[in-house]
Amino acid sequence: MSNSYIQLLEERDIKATAIRILVLKAMFEFNRAFNLPDLEIKLDTVDKSSISRTIHLFHEHQLIHSFDDGSGSIKYSICSRDCHCSMEDLHAHFYCNYCKKAFCLKNISVPKFELSPIMQVESVNLVIKGYCGQCSKFAT
Ligand SMILES: [Zn+2]
Ligand SMILES: [Zn+2]
C-alpha cells in the first residue's frame, strides 16, 4: 500500500520520506478537501511545523491544489494524477453550508473568460454552496 504513495510522491519529484508518506496517507483518508487544522488533528503525533512544511512542499510540486471556499481557511485537495494545475485543470468546488465540508467537482471545469487584453487570469475560485446531501441538514 505504501508503495503507491511512494510512487505518487516520486511522480511529482518529491523524495519519499516516512513523514511525507504519513501525511499523504492522511490526506487520502479525508475523501474531501482538508485544511491545516484537519491534518493537525488527524496527525496529532506529528510536529505541526512538519505538517505545514509538507503541505507547502506538496502544493509547490502540484500533488495538491488549494482553493478558498469562503470559510476563512484555505482548503487543499489531492490533484488527479494527470493534473498540472493549469487553467485546463481548474475545476469548481462545492461547499456544504451545513456540515462545512468542501469537495472537488473535478468534472465541472471553470468556464473560459473573455478578458481585456491587458488582463491576465492568475486564479479562478468557483465555489458552489449548498447542501451536500450527506450531512444532517437540520442539526445545528
Ligand atoms: Zn454536508
Ligand atoms: Zn479540487
Side-chain angles (χ1 to χ4, degrees):
M1 191 58 194
S2 74
N3 273 345
S4 58
Y5 298 126
I6 294 170
Q7 203 184 343
L8 273 176
L9 290 168
E10 285 176 349
E11 277 176 13
R12 299 288 179 175
D13 285 320
I14 302 166
K15 193 170 170 289
T17 62
I19 190 98
R20 289 170 188 165
I21 293 167
L22 194 70
V23 173
L24 184 58
K25 183 171 177 284
M27 287 176 172
F28 270 105
E29 283 167 6
F30 280 112
N31 285 321
R32 60 175 169 89
F34 44 84
N35 60 11
L36 178 60
D38 288 335
L39 280 169
E40 285 175 355
I41 292 164
K42 204 174 180 69
L43 298 166
D44 58 356
T45 57
V46 180
D47 165 51
K48 287 182 182 179
S49 62
S50 311
I51 297 175
S52 131
R53 271 201 311 273
T54 306
I55 289 178
H56 286 288
L57 180 80
F58 285 5
H59 194 231
E60 249 172 44
H61 287 253
Q62 299 167 351
L63 181 59
I64 57 175
H65 58 277
S66 63
F67 61 96
D68 178 356
D69 63 8
S71 67
S73 80
I74 295 294
K75 295 278 168 66
Y76 299 92
S77 186
I78 298 169
C79 291
S80 319
R81 270 183 121 144
D82 57 354
C83 173
H84 302 287
C85 295
S86 62
M87 280 308 289
E88 286 69 39
D89 292 309
L90 289 177
H91 51 261
H93 291 95
F94 188 88
Y95 179 77
C96 177
N97 285 326
Y98 302 91
C99 64
K100 317 289 183 200
K101 289 174 185 161
F103 310 86
C104 287
L105 299 173
K106 283 184 176 156
N107 54 342
I108 303 181
S109 307
V110 305
K112 298 259 180 290
F113 305 98
E114 284 298 332
L115 292 177
S116 134
I118 58 162
M119 291 173 175
Q120 208 178 1
V121 179
E122 292 187 333
S123 70
V124 180
N125 206 41
L126 177 57
V127 179
I128 299 165
K129 295 192 178 193
Y131 172 54
C132 72
Q134 300 282 313
C135 67
S136 44
K137 186 171 177 178
F138 303 105
T140 43

